[in-house]
Every structure is written in structure tokens, then in C-alpha cells.
Amino acid sequence: MAQSQRPSSLFRNLSAKIAAIPMILTALVIFVGCTVWTVVYSFTKSRMLPKEDFVGLMQYERLWATKRWLVSVENIAIYGICSLILSLVIGFVLAALLDQKIRFENTFRTIFLYPYALSFIVTGLVWQWILNPTFGIQKVVRGWGFEDFTFDWLANTDYVIYAVLIAGLWQGTGLVMALMLAGLRGIDEDIWKASRVDGIPSWKTYLFIVIPMMRPVFVTTLVIIAAGIVKVYDLILAQTSGGPGIASEVPAKYVYDYMFRAGNLGQGFAASTMMLVTVLIILIPWVILEYGGKKNAS
Amino acid sequence: MKFKHTLAAAAVALTVGTANAADIEVTHWWTSGGEAAAVKVFADSFNAMGGDTWVDGAIAGSGGVARPVIVSRILGGDPMGATQLNHGRQAEELVEAGLMLDLTELAEKEGWRDIVRPSSLLDSCTLDGKIYCVPVNIHSWQWMWTNPGAFEAAGTEAPANWNDFVAAAPKLQEAGIVPLAIGGQPWQINGAFGVLAVALGGTDLWKAVNVDKNAEAAGGAEMAKVWEAFGAARELATGSAVEQWNEATNLVLTGKAGAQIMGDWAQGEFSVAGKSAGTDYDCLPGLGLETVLSTGGDAFYFPVNDDAEVTAAQMKMASMMLSKSVQVDFNLAKGSLPVRGDVDLSAANDCMKKGLAILENPDNILPDGTQVLSPDTVQQIDDLLAEFWATASMSAADAQARYADLIGDAD
């Protein structure tokens, strides 16, 4: 259905393009401009105020020699990988279970989605109390007579990041489930009928037919989860404040602490540039894979 | 009726406010009971002078939360009339950038050099011979608060110094009492470390490390003793799983813990609980080993403003904060010591008097960590000490080596 006579493509939908100019400018100035500014100043010795006092890679050398930054990177990797996999798996399983035309589906959906309505601050505080060894689960179970029961992940430097992960999953899985459920509902009923006629077990249908058909839903979900992982900050702040010690620090908190509390802009800029680089390393190949071949396909 | 009155009063206040006087917004982070009462002393005295009005801009949260807000407002071209900061290096760059009002003229007229004690407080306000802030109180970190009752309950004597305390600690532990209460926040751990360094290493060593930034001294054998003691303190504090400093103070207060190393503001908690110094609780300045006090504290800065009326009001406020009667009322409410020695403090309690007696001799006075180290260095040391404190497997020697590197790189 191609148009028979195309005017110059520049003037097509002219009003729409004019309307988009403010947005384009905002994107260029705020996002691109400020990003470039940050990267440039990460090579300076700026303290509380930005100064054009270039020192080469000094800030980066210091950054990668800092234990707290290394711990932060390790934590975000653990949190990121686990939360990506687990929230996709749990979210999909919950959605598939809800999709079995069960009774009280609305009730369950509400219960699962409800945590998402809470902010990370509230989530963090709630789980801080639940996991607190002196007041929370440990105390309750010991009260039942299991005197040796220990569940002190919040006070344990090795496990504290998993305690944060639990809270993050509790908060975020509901949304993943809702997205997946919407995807499942979008699958044509006839496909299920056909697979039943062919005698394919339903788990196989899910795995080899339904999931590949839900690819767009998975991509959307992935982007939402990934964005949540990179910016995780408030959850940590509310639940552990980075402690015990520096065991649950994350990069975003490092950036904030050094820019504003320590008054060392250069160091904060260097750390945020590293965060940007990491995101780009993951994003660029994916964008090329996802959209690069599209022109030929459609 | 009442509403109408209020409305009328508000209208009058508004017209007066815009006609011939300035509203001075004052930002600070004093929000706890005693602190708020202390701020009220300032506000009332300022309003009573007539003309200008004190507009309270309290920012909830501690300095760590409030300071970024204050700094970004000044940098963003929306300066308040006056703001609290800890003097020293936190505002250094703001002063260098010409964003703070120069108070030198007023200071010379009123002779601040002669009345402010110790003079190091005014030095921290001074850059290139000009004075940019008003010190209002002296807070010192160098205290250990003990509960004699807890030691009695464990069948041992109340300690007179840190060594006694360490010797008595096993008995406390046997009795189920945590010897040392420290909240898990890095600034508390850093503070306790500073106190130990002064008390066990001596003032000369402390100055070599913190003032002269001598990395050799920081990595040397003398400092190693301090690190050993700090490692021992880590053992003594196991079991006190609290975060906030006042929760830790509460452990001491209720006899669940033997002692806490904390600044003199902890005393506010004891007095709010109705305890009296000397009997219910005891205080050991310099851990009972060194009679010194570090003299940090709060200061007020006045951001530069285009409005001449505001500038005049800022000068008036600066002068008011250092006046005799305001100094006494304010510091009694705050639990801190006044910055001038020529005022009457007969209402002070035993521990405050101990502190005042130490301040009599200028040799006993140390600058505070925030006065000599940049916030960047403080943050790095905070990180290191927090890691050490939470990681039982980290040895004192390893931590000391990293500490020496940090001091060597400090500016």
C-alpha cells in the first residue's frame, strides 16, 4: 500500500515534526549535552565546583583502586544478574499459573501487583524490619522453639546483597507478572486448540510456541527490569545504607556520596561515566541485533 | 474571631516585612528536641531586635542530608540569608568562589579575635586574613560515656580510663553486657577512631597524621598501637547491633552496654532521661588518658546577597549570635560549650564543667577532624573504617596500610 506520490520526505508530516522540535532539543541539550559535559569534567580535578583543571585519567585510576567502588561493581553484577533471571522466571511462572482460568484471579493479581505500588523506600524499610535479626523472622522462628535458627543476612557481609535482592524481587515481580499475563492473553486461542489436537503437553506449548510468540513482551520487560537495576539506589539506602560496612554499596550511591557529601565532583563524574560506559557496552550490541536487521525483514 | 486576628496580624507582618525590613531565611539541620530549643533562642533574640524577621528553614536529616541541599542552593543562585555548617573545610570552596559574605569589618569592630576561645575556631572561619563565618558553639568528640551501674552489676569497678575499661570488658561480657556500644553508621565509627587515636597515640601523633598528613606517621609503629586498640574495640562492640548514635546511647543508659565513645551531644540523651552526671552516668574526656578536647562545632555562614537591606540584617544577626546572653542561653539548650570564655555558666553540670576546665589551658585544645581534613578525605576514611568495622577477617595491619595511603594522598 505504498503511497503513489511521495512529497520530499523532509516535509512529510511537517506539523508533527515542528511539534517534536522542543523534545528533540531537550533530548540533545539535556541528555546528550549534559552527558558530554559530565564525561569531559570527569578528566578534571573538580572538587565542590567544576574547574577546567585537566588531570588525565587520574580520577579513573583512583576509582578503580578504591575498594568501595570494586565492591559496588560486584554487588550490582550479582544483584543485576539474579534479579533479571529470577524476576523473569518467577514473573512468567506466576502469569502462567494465573492463566489457567483459576477462580479469584482478580484477587491474586491484585495481591501480586500490590508491592509495585509501594516506593523502594517503603519496600526497603519493610524488609529491613522483616530481616532484622533482633525483631524479624529470626526472632519469630526462635520464638517457636527453634533456638539455633539463624537468618541474619542483613548483618552478614557475604549475604546482605541477597537480602536486598529479596526485597527487590518482592517489589518488582508483580509488574513482570502483569506484563507477562497481558502477553499470554494476547496469544490466539486457536493456537492452544491446535496444540491440544496435536497432543502436545502444555509445558511444551508454553516453552516452544507461546514464549517465542511473546518476544516483544519479553523485550519490553527486559528493558524495564534493566533500567530498574542500573538505578537501584533508594532500596539500598532505605534497607541497609550500604552496610554492614561497605558490603551492600552500589555504584549509584558511590556517585552521590562522592559528588555531594565528599564534595569531589571529578570522582563522582568518573564513576558515573563508568556506569554509562557499562550500560552502552550492554546496550549497543543489543540495539544492533534487535534493530539492525529490521530493514530487510519488513 | 481568632482566625480574623491571625489574618490581620499576618497581613500587617507581611506589609511591614516588605516595606522596611528583610526576611532572613536561615537553614540548619537542628531538628531534635534540644537542638530546636537552641535554634529558638537565636530566632527569638533576632526577632526581638526589631525590623528583620527570622524565617526558619530547618532541613530534616543530619548534616549528610542537609549539606548537599544547602550547597546546591547557594551554587544554584538561590542563597538563603544565613546557614549553619560545620566550619572548616566544608565551605572552603564556596568562600574561595566569593559566595560568602565577608564579616571582617564587623569582627574587627567587635574584637572577635580577643573574645573567641579557642582561637582555632576563628581560624577555621578565616581565609586569606578575612573572616567569613561566626562560630557559635564548641562540640567535642573526645568523650567516653559510661554507666557505673552496668560495671557494678558485672562485679567490677567503674573504669577511670580506657585501659581499665578493656581490662573490665571480659567480666561485662560474662554478665551479658556489651562492653562498648557504637552505632553502625560510618561517621560514628570514624569519630570513635579519632578519639582512640588522640587518647592512645597522643596529640603530637594525631597532629602529624591529620594536620601535616604525614603518611609515615600514619603507617608507623605508634599508629599501629592505635589500630590494634581499634581492632580490640571492634571485638568489644560485637552484639550492639544498632545504627543510630542515640540508640547506642540508650544501650548505655539502660545498662545493656557499659560505655559509648561519642561526642558531648550524647549528654543531651542522658539529661532528657533524667539521669544525673557523676552518679547515673560518668564521663571520661580523652578516654581518661589525655586531657584534651577537640573543638569542632557549628558555625553560621552568610551567603552574599545583592540586597543591601539583607546584608545589613545579616551583619546584625552575626553580631547577635556572638553576644554574651545569647551565647549562654543557646549553649545551655544545645548542651555544647560557648565560644567565649567571659560568660557565666554556673548552670552547667559536672561533665560540662570538666570540659570547661580543660578548655582553660590552650595546650589542651585540638582542632576537629573536619577542620583539618577535606570532606573527600573524611569520606574515604569513613569508607575504610566502616569496612574494617564490619569485616572481622580484616586485620589491623592491612587496614593501617590503606589508611597510610589515604593520608599520603590527602590534600
Side-chain angles (χ1 to χ4, degrees), chain A:
Chain A
M1 281 292 208
Q3 279 169 310
S4 50
Q5 254 197 336
R6 272 189 186 169
S8 162
S9 66
L10 192 67
F11 293 107
R12 228 164 15 118
N13 292 331
L14 189 63
S15 50
K17 277 174 186 159
I18 292 173
I21 285 176
M23 179 59 214
I24 293 168
L25 280 181
T26 315
L28 281 182
V29 175
I30 308 277
F31 293 126
V32 180
C34 293
T35 307
V36 170
W37 190 89
T38 303
V39 174
V40 168
Y41 276 88
S42 74
F43 295 104
T44 68
K45 224 172 119 181
S46 301
R47 278 306 176 86
M48 194 185 279
L49 306 171
K51 283 186 197 139
E52 287 93 20
D53 183 5
F54 289 94
V55 288
L57 288 172
M58 185 272 267
Q59 299 287 8
Y60 292 90
E61 280 163 16
R62 178 177 147 186
L63 181 69
W64 286 101
T66 304
K67 182 77 186 287
R68 178 172 159 188
W69 173 254
L70 299 176
V71 171
S72 303
V73 170
E74 192 189 330
N75 279 339
I76 199 80
I78 295 175
Y79 179 86
I81 293 170
C82 293
S83 116
L84 197 67
I85 295 173
L86 287 176
S87 57
L88 274 178
V89 170
I90 299 174
F92 184 80
V93 169
L94 284 177
L97 291 176
L98 277 188
D99 199 31
Q100 308 305 311
K101 303 203 172 57
I102 55 163
R103 233 184 268 184
F104 305 122
E105 189 200 308
N106 279 335
T107 316
F108 282 112
R109 218 169 42 201
T110 312
I111 291 173
F112 290 137
L113 196 53
Y114 222 94
Y116 193 70
L118 300 179
S119 73
F120 262 146
I121 297 288
V122 179
T123 309
L125 287 175
V126 167
W127 281 90
Q128 189 193 42
W129 284 98
I130 296 178
L131 298 174
N132 185 316
T134 10
F135 306 108
I137 294 179
Q138 178 174 313
K139 164 129 199 237
V140 174
V141 177
R142 282 189 184 178
W144 290 339
F146 302 95
E147 291 292 331
D148 295 333
F149 180 81
T150 38
F151 189 60
D152 59 347
W153 285 9
L154 272 192
N156 186 316
T157 47
D158 294 329
Y159 291 112
V160 64
I161 193 68
Y162 299 99
V164 176
L165 180 69
I166 293 176
L169 285 178
W170 177 81
Q171 204 254 8
T173 318
L175 179 75
V176 177
M177 178 211 71
L179 290 168
M180 294 288 169
L181 193 58
L184 286 174
R185 291 285 147 83
I187 300 291
D188 197 336
E189 199 57 25
D190 290 343
I191 292 183
W192 281 105
K193 284 179 189 157
S195 79
R196 229 166 281 144
V197 168
D198 286 345
I200 303 170
S202 55
W203 67 268
K204 263 193 173 169
T205 316
Y206 270 122
L207 220 53
F208 296 111
I209 302 173
V210 175
I211 289 182
M213 286 178 76
M214 279 171 59
R215 192 187 142 101
V217 176
F218 271 94
V219 171
T220 314
T221 316
L222 209 70
V223 171
I224 290 175
I225 301 174
I229 292 167
V230 175
K231 62 174 200 201
V232 64
Y233 168 77
D234 30 12
L235 181 61
I236 299 277
L237 206 66
Q239 201 180 347
T240 66
S241 324
I246 54 167
S248 61
E249 293 287 350
V250 285
K253 189 159 175 291
Y254 185 92
V255 172
Y256 179 84
D257 280 354
Y258 274 90
M259 276 168 79
F260 299 110
R261 286 175 59 165
N264 190 340
L265 286 179
Q267 185 66 19
F269 289 158
S272 55
T273 305
M274 286 319 303
M275 285 174 72
L276 178 72
V277 168
T278 323
V279 172
L280 288 182
I281 288 174
I282 298 172
L283 212 61
I284 289 175
W286 177 75
V287 168
I288 292 173
L289 271 181
E290 186 66 25
Y291 299 107
K294 216 140 208 188
K295 274 174 196 150
N296 310 332
S298 57

Side-chain angles (χ1 to χ4, degrees), chain B residues 27-30 42 82-88 90 121 124-125 132-137 296-302 321 330 339:
Chain B
T27 49
H28 55 86
W29 58 84
W30 288 333
F42 277 160
T83 184
Q84 173 214 358
L85 284 171
N86 300 113
H87 43 215
Q90 290 172 351
L121 288 180
S124 302
C125 285
Y132 290 93
C133 67
V134 186
V136 294
N137 60 5
D298 302 294
F300 275 82
Y301 286 79
F302 300 86
M321 284 172 168
F330 170 79
V339 292

Side-chain angles (χ1 to χ4, degrees), chain B residues 102-168:
Chain B
D102 181 0
L103 303 171
T104 317
E105 216 174 292
L106 177 74
E108 277 171 5
K109 201 176 81 195
E110 298 191 349
W112 289 4
R113 274 267 156 244
D114 306 321
I115 56 174
V116 172
R117 167 218 64 177
S119 58
S120 65
L121 288 180
L122 208 54
D123 294 341
S124 302
C125 285
T126 311
L127 193 85
D128 299 331
K130 291 185 175 155
I131 293 171
Y132 290 93
C133 67
V134 186
V136 294
N137 60 5
I138 302 169
H139 271 308
S140 178
W141 250 107
Q142 317 294 320
W143 296 90
M144 182 155 86
W145 308 93
T146 59
N147 183 340
F151 287 89
E152 262 168 47
T156 170
E157 272 179 40
N161 60 45
W162 174 256
N163 298 332
D164 290 358
F165 170 71
V166 174

